Amino acid sequence: MIDMHCHIDLFKDYEDLIQEIDKLGIYVLSVTTVPSAFLGTQKIAKNCPRIKTALGMHPEVAHERVDELEIFNHLVPQAKYIGEIGLDGSPGLKNHHKVQGVIFREILAMVASAGGRIISIHSRKAADTVLDCLSETPDAGVFILHWFSGNKRQLQRAIDLGCWFSVGPAMLNSKKGKELATLIPKNRILTETDGPFAKAKNKPLSPLDIGIAQNQLANLWGIPKPEVNAMLLQNLSQLVQSP
Ligand code: MN
């Protein structure tokens, strides 16, 4: 089982959660929202080899954390994964769109000069601009668009660009999300929960709920759940071997 995008450090009971994840053998990409959270988040999972910590700067808070770009730059060499980074074009963040773009481009350049990384990317209401940035910096590595919510044209553009996609219960519960997911090549999909931000039935999701996403994909693809799990594990192994 794989949760390719979740915020372990934001769970109140993260110690118990990590123990459960470890017991069940779930692979987790533990993304962070600010660079100053990276080392601490890495430390809480240091005994779990399947939990990988990613260095992030979430677009919703990036404008308040410009001074942490220095920390980001300092940590890139030791971070094997990057995320959550990206752009958020929501109207409520309108005053910050410009600085978000500056920060995102700067981060992609830092990651490119470090040789590229696997990156988990946020693109809500900003798919085209995100894809512009990614095409400008192909050396930044391998891109995973998390909870992609663009249109079909933008999805096709992302597929053509070689992007991967992590999909979860929240996305696959909506008609549009389901429709997009059927258009994504099966060998470029991974599962995610985006817990504790994303919810199902008003309850925050955690990596322990990743079976929900597997069931949804099993229904969508019309194949048994164990087969879905095997395909996703195969995808993950492909992904980590990508240049
Ligand atoms: Mn997230």
Side-chain angles (χ1 to χ4, degrees):
M1 289 184 288
I2 301 158
D3 187 345
M4 207 60 196
H5 182 110
C6 85
H7 301 261
I8 288 193
D9 61 333
L10 303 183
F11 285 90
K12 274 193 210 94
D13 54 347
Y14 65 80
E15 280 169 341
D16 297 342
L17 178 60
I18 287 169
Q19 257 184 21
E20 282 301 304
I21 291 170
D22 199 40
K23 222 191 301 174
L24 295 167
I26 306 173
Y27 290 92
V28 174
L29 186 64
S30 167
V31 297
T32 53
T33 51
V34 290
S36 52
F38 175 73
L39 293 175
T41 306
Q42 192 176 48
K43 199 167 160 200
I44 58 176
K46 66 176 189 304
N47 296 322
C48 307
R50 287 191 182 85
I51 302 180
K52 308 293 187 196
T53 308
L55 171 64
M57 175 82 106
H58 196 290
E60 287 176 68
V61 299
H63 61 277
E64 298 165 349
R65 302 292 183 134
V66 185
D67 54 335
E68 286 199 33
L69 271 176
E70 219 172 298
I71 305 176
F72 197 103
N73 196 28
H74 173 72
L75 292 172
V76 171
Q78 56 179 291
K80 291 210 175 100
Y81 297 84
I82 303 292
E84 171 166 6
I85 63 167
L87 298 175
D88 192 306
S90 302
L93 292 164
K94 198 166 180 286
N95 294 339
H96 311 304
H97 287 168
K98 204 170 159 192
V99 65
Q100 268 183 28
V102 173
I103 292 170
F104 184 47
R105 285 188 165 86
E106 197 162 328
I107 285 176
L108 289 172
M110 286 175 192
V111 177
S113 43
R117 295 287 188 272
I118 291 170
I119 313 178
S120 184
I121 300 167
H122 177 114
S123 58
R124 184 197 291 144
K125 297 194 192 304
D128 274 317
T129 322
V130 164
L131 295 171
D132 289 343
C133 295
L134 300 182
S135 10
E136 286 160 21
T137 333
D139 295 344
V142 184
F143 311 129
I144 310 169
L145 297 175
H146 112 84
W147 195 341
F148 186 77
S149 57
N151 59 34
K152 289 184 191 172
R153 178 191 57 78
Q154 290 161 333
L155 177 73
Q156 191 54 52
R157 202 184 150 202
I159 293 169
D160 294 342
L161 205 65
C163 293
W164 288 67
F165 301 85
S166 54
V167 304
M171 171 175 173
L172 298 172
N173 263 336
S174 80
K175 192 174 163 242
K176 184 190 164 193
K178 232 184 274 180
E179 218 173 82
L180 288 173
T182 56
L183 299 170
I184 299 172
K186 290 190 183 68
N187 61 356
R188 290 239 216 117
I189 285 198
L190 294 160
T191 42
E192 67 163 42
T193 62
D194 199 13
F197 288 123
K199 297 185 173 75
K201 292 175 183 152
N202 275 324
K203 222 188 103 229
L205 290 160
S206 93
L208 308 179
D209 298 313
I210 200 65
I212 302 174
Q214 289 193 345
N215 282 330
Q216 289 166 316
L217 286 179
N219 287 332
L220 210 66
W221 292 342
I223 58 178
K225 192 174 169 186
E227 225 172 284
V228 171
N229 188 40
M231 283 171 65
L232 295 171
L233 288 170
Q234 173 67 27
N235 286 353
L236 180 64
S237 114
Q238 282 293 324
L239 173 75
V240 297
Q241 285 169 45
S242 355

